[in-house]
Amino acid sequence: MLGAKRQLSKGSTDADGPPLQRRRSSITQGESERHGENGDLTLNIYQQPQDDRLMNPPAVYYNQTFSSGPIFNGAIYGNVYNNTHMHVSTMDGLQFLYQHAATGAMHESDERYPPPLCHPGTRDVVIGRITGWHLIENDQKKGILWVHAPAGHGKTAIAGTVTERLGAMKEELGFSPVGATFYFWRTSPERNSPARFMITLAYQLAQSIPELQPHVNAAIETEPAIAKMALERQLVKLIVEPFKSLGNLTDIPNRLVIVDGIDECINSDRESRVAKKYAEDQEAVQVRVLDLIHCLHSHHLPLCFLILSRPEAWIKQHLESKPFHEELEVIDLYEIGDHMNDVARFVRAELSRIAKSLDPAGRDGKWPEEQKLVWKSGGHMLYAATVIRHIDDPYDDPRKLLRDIIEDDHESSPDIEHSTPFSSLYELYRQIMRSCPPKNRPHMMQVLEDVMAFDQTRYVEPRCDAALRLLDRMSMRLAGNGLKALRPLHAVLRIGNGAESIANIFVHSSFQTFLKSAHLSLEFTVDRHKGQERLLSSVLDRMAALTMDEINEKHLGDRPLFALNNWCPFWREASKGLFRESRATHIRMIEKIIATDFTACFIRSYLNHRYDFETQSPLSPLFYLPGPAKFFVGSLKSDECAVTLSIIDKVTSHVLSSLDEAFAFLLGATTFPPISQSMRKCLVDDCEQYLRLVTAQADWRENKVVQALWTRGHQKNRFVQEVIEGLYSSIWRNRTVQEELMRPIEDALEEEDVDTEMLRLSRSIFWSVSMGTYVEQDPLRKTIV
């Protein structure tokens, strides 16, 4: 060995300097004073005393940002000569492990002080379930528990609270139930990689199970370069073999190892010629950490493992794979407990505290916006805590700040952006977005544009996975590409679960606010108008292929069905922003309408509609005043230029003639196509509303729809009867026109001997009102209503 071994007790003095502990502390303090503003590692070189027998190169010490101790022998990668062997011989195993451990990743580290904990009385259900799972002893117990939830649901606070609660049982149990903890953290250089993972666990296990210490010492003396070995090797030498050396492990109480935030492990710490702000191999390194945990568990040591993370796709896929199948239990934090009640309890306590600071006498503890804040949080504890930190400002009025957030929705204003709590929330969102490799970001942004445009429609594919597949087809992407593009965003999106609705894809509305606000999301701003233009164009292209042939065809493909179900809501949304922003886009879309068989599309929109509605028709925006033509023309002005005037005239003529043909076709159908009763009612209401618009024109008597109602024989059609019932039951502003419209219908009903009970009642009330003989107490009125 290079140099003689010297055993140092805790307080002993090295022949060449101060006590070892004092020397380590002095190095840490000196290094911490030399940190630059950017938090980069600072390098100091300490020359060891010359020894005639040994020519030792200088020992290199690095101090990591936020760490309370140096990392001995340099960085994990880089061209630094290591002199581990000599230093192992001058310190015991715990000191060696400490100097290579990520001290900031431990529960009680100064870097994490104060450790995040759950607010008293919140998350009790899941905390009780975790502690009960650990303390129970039976043969059926699974040794790995995975607790997952999106960002902001308090996973780290739960891990800390579990540690505290189990730690409080130490005297009762006679041992410490928690053997080790490791809290990964994206922005901490020593906690965003697995390089110190095994050594940190080994250090804590050797402390919580003192019987391991001599075996750990022996392992380090046998293999002094263990700190530079592969993590899998460290696992065996520093944990597995020391445990096996104890002999019978059945008498050793089970210890819990808590690993939080595996999704925050983004750096492989492998050598790279290219500087990467966020490593692109994060998926592989996170899977490697999971494999290390599985390997430890496979050795049947007296250890069980609590893993807490976001439900990233690759983490979920790996934990659901066969190797973990028999050993893993899963808790979906999003589905456990009453999140709204937890937030309400937290908000009430914090607002009471702030109110007391404003008025120590406690005379005014009421907050009118309290319930609105709870509702707006959506059970998202991070959002509620962010708002509380924002309003807890001694230099401003907390009540006004809360009122601004709740009532004025200023979350996207520059004032909120520069608020420290909210800026931290938005920086978290930016970090999540940056986790997507740069080459894939344009694709991810395009899918987000589609999702946000899709989310604005009222009538959409309900399931998230099905909707994403449909968006792929509509935007001409390869199948499954949309879901792959959103893989890095499982922390803020609910995706991959067939039971979720795409309307609820955003975990919290603040992320959607972030994406839409350029001053918040910066390079990740989502332009919803791009998604609207792409989807509306695709919808109109699908509609262009539809004709009156086989009008009763039920088995249309997904894309034509999507087009029929959504073209009207898409156009309405585009009119509110996209068309106002781009006149050229508006004209291009109108040209697509003119080239479409709108009669066929209108009829099929009712006959092939996939959803039922109890009140308003999905196509009712067409019939709002001032009418269908204006619905398509929108903000275009006829006096802009000749081309615009021509476009307006063409689309007006095309749409009105198409609607006339469509309603006349339906009213004259000998057998009405089968549709649901609710859609049938919507069609009846729309037909009546269209007749109101038609009869406002001077030549309304020649209109095809009016003529179809007056045609003898049509009154036997049940659909026509329903339209007539609606006309009888409604009250028009122009009563004279209504009566003129109804007289030929009345004659046809008499001639064709059509007299159903509902028609009879409707006709009775209508004509009694017209002749002034209707009385309020008429028993028929109640029946009609």
Side-chain angles (χ1 to χ4, degrees), residues 287-463:
V287 166
R288 187 185 184 194
V289 172
L290 294 175
D291 285 338
L292 290 169
I293 294 173
H294 180 267
C295 183
L296 266 178
H297 180 262
S298 67
H299 285 281
H300 305 291
L301 307 178
L303 301 174
C304 56
F305 300 87
L306 171 62
I307 302 171
L308 302 100
S309 79
R310 300 168 186 163
E312 305 291 9
W314 51 93
I315 293 177
K316 185 174 186 290
Q317 180 180 3
H318 198 63
L319 287 174
E320 290 178 349
S321 63
K322 187 175 180 179
F324 284 88
H325 181 67
E326 298 295 332
E327 303 159 356
L328 182 71
E329 188 172 338
V330 181
I331 292 179
D332 184 346
L333 180 58
Y334 185 72
E335 297 180 352
I336 297 294
D338 188 342
H339 301 290
M340 294 296 287
N341 186 58
D342 285 347
V343 170
R345 182 187 294 268
F346 167 75
V347 167
R348 175 88 290 273
E350 290 299 297
L351 292 182
S352 297
R353 175 184 61 79
I354 295 173
K356 191 172 183 180
S357 69
L358 298 174
D359 181 11
R363 289 167 294 190
D364 184 12
K366 296 181 179 179
W367 296 77
E369 295 82 13
E370 179 179 335
Q371 291 303 317
K372 292 181 180 179
L373 172 57
V374 174
W375 175 82
K376 192 169 185 178
S377 75
H380 195 262
M381 188 67 78
L382 176 61
Y383 179 80
T386 299
V387 172
I388 292 297
R389 290 199 303 273
H390 173 69
I391 69 172
D392 192 10
D393 186 348
Y395 303 103
D396 209 332
D397 181 359
R399 297 183 187 277
K400 177 182 178 298
L401 293 174
L402 180 58
R403 188 165 55 250
D404 287 345
I405 290 175
I406 300 301
E407 296 181 358
D408 299 332
D409 195 21
H410 285 171
E411 290 177 66
S412 58
S413 70
D415 292 340
I416 293 295
E417 176 191 2
H418 297 300
S419 162
T420 299
F422 273 97
S423 62
S424 299
L425 176 64
Y426 295 136
E427 179 56 29
L428 170 63
Y429 290 155
R430 284 188 284 268
Q431 289 174 359
I432 292 171
M433 297 292 283
R434 292 188 189 110
S435 67
C436 178
K439 65 180 181 180
N440 295 336
R441 287 177 190 172
H443 189 197
M444 177 182 71
M445 298 304 292
Q446 185 190 87
V447 176
L448 284 172
E449 290 167 358
D450 288 353
V451 166
M452 292 184 71
F454 195 72
D455 186 51
Q456 294 299 314
T457 61
R458 182 176 175 186
Y459 313 110
V460 295
E461 183 70 40
R463 290 184 343 195

Side-chain angles (χ1 to χ4, degrees), residues 152 399 563 717 785:
R399 297 183 187 277
N717 186 323
V785 174

Side-chain angles (χ1 to χ4, degrees), residues 33 258 267 410 517 543 557 582 603 622 651 654 724 755 759:
E33 293 171 355
I258 299 177
N267 195 340
H410 285 171
S517 306
M543 291 172 64
S582 174
I603 295 172
L622 272 175
V651 75
H654 179 64
I724 295 172
D755 191 22
L759 269 175

Side-chain angles (χ1 to χ4, degrees), residues 127-139:
I127 292 169
R129 186 164 167 182
I130 293 171
T131 54
W133 166 83
H134 172 58
L135 295 174
I136 190 172
E137 293 290 346
N138 61 53
D139 295 336

Side-chain angles (χ1 to χ4, degrees), residues 612-676:
D612 288 343
F613 307 97
E614 295 181 359
T615 53
Q616 194 177 60
S617 160
L619 303 186
S620 60
L622 272 175
F623 309 110
Y624 293 155
L625 290 174
K630 185 62 177 177
F631 176 80
F632 288 100
V633 171
S635 60
L636 289 180
K637 298 178 181 178
S638 59
D639 59 350
E640 289 183 355
C641 65
V643 174
T644 303
L645 178 59
S646 175
I647 286 288
I648 291 174
D649 288 343
K650 286 181 180 179
V651 75
T652 299
S653 174
H654 179 64
V655 168
L656 292 179
S657 63
S658 296
L659 289 176
D660 286 344
E661 293 284 351
F663 277 122
F665 173 84
L666 292 171
L667 292 171
T670 54
T671 57
F672 196 78
I675 59 175
S676 68

Side-chain angles (χ1 to χ4, degrees), residues 446-627:
Q446 185 190 87
V447 176
L448 284 172
E449 290 167 358
D450 288 353
V451 166
M452 292 184 71
F454 195 72
D455 186 51
Q456 294 299 314
T457 61
R458 182 176 175 186
Y459 313 110
V460 295
E461 183 70 40
R463 290 184 343 195
C464 185
D465 55 349
L468 288 173
R469 288 195 297 269
L470 190 53
L471 284 174
D472 285 342
R473 292 192 288 275
M474 297 302 295
S475 296
M476 306 302 290
R477 291 188 291 265
L478 294 176
N481 273 15
L483 189 59
K484 290 180 181 178
L486 301 182
R487 276 170 64 91
L489 304 183
H490 278 250
V492 286
L493 300 179
R494 300 186 187 100
I495 52 181
N497 184 351
E500 288 288 353
S501 166
I502 195 167
N504 300 321
I505 190 172
F506 293 98
V507 170
H508 194 265
S509 59
S510 60
F511 182 61
Q512 199 169 5
T513 299
F514 164 83
L515 291 176
K516 292 187 293 187
S517 306
H519 66 281
L520 298 178
S521 51
L522 307 177
E523 72 270 27
F524 299 110
T525 305
V526 172
D527 186 350
R528 183 166 59 89
H529 289 166
K530 290 182 180 179
Q532 284 182 333
E533 180 178 355
R534 187 164 47 248
L535 291 178
L536 181 56
S537 180
S538 180
V539 161
L540 296 180
D541 289 341
R542 301 285 79 73
M543 291 172 64
L546 300 175
T547 67
M548 290 292 290
D549 297 336
E550 300 180 0
I551 193 70
N552 294 326
E553 181 182 356
K554 296 181 180 179
H555 303 292
L556 293 177
D558 282 348
R559 284 184 289 180
L561 273 176
F562 176 78
L564 292 173
N565 290 338
N566 294 283
W567 68 267
C568 189
F570 268 137
W571 192 282
R572 180 186 55 194
E573 290 299 320
S575 298
K576 295 176 182 178
L578 172 62
F579 293 161
R580 296 174 186 271
E581 184 179 274
S582 174
R583 177 176 172 273
T585 300
H586 191 178
I587 291 177
R588 184 164 60 87
M589 297 301 174
I590 286 180
E591 289 172 342
K592 286 178 178 285
I593 289 289
I594 294 173
T596 298
D597 185 346
F598 193 64
T599 300
C601 293
F602 178 78
I603 295 172
R604 285 176 176 267
S605 293
Y606 286 103
L607 303 188
N608 297 113
H609 210 284
R610 189 176 289 182
Y611 306 102
D612 288 343
F613 307 97
E614 295 181 359
T615 53
Q616 194 177 60
S617 160
L619 303 186
S620 60
L622 272 175
F623 309 110
Y624 293 155
L625 290 174

Side-chain angles (χ1 to χ4, degrees), residues 44-73:
N44 270 351
I45 299 178
Y46 288 78
Q47 180 68 48
Q48 297 295 315
Q50 292 291 332
D51 190 319
D52 291 336
R53 295 170 298 171
L54 298 172
M55 295 301 295
N56 294 319
V60 182
Y61 294 79
Y62 284 82
N63 195 77
Q64 295 276 351
T65 307
F66 310 121
S67 176
S68 58
I71 298 175
F72 193 70
N73 292 322

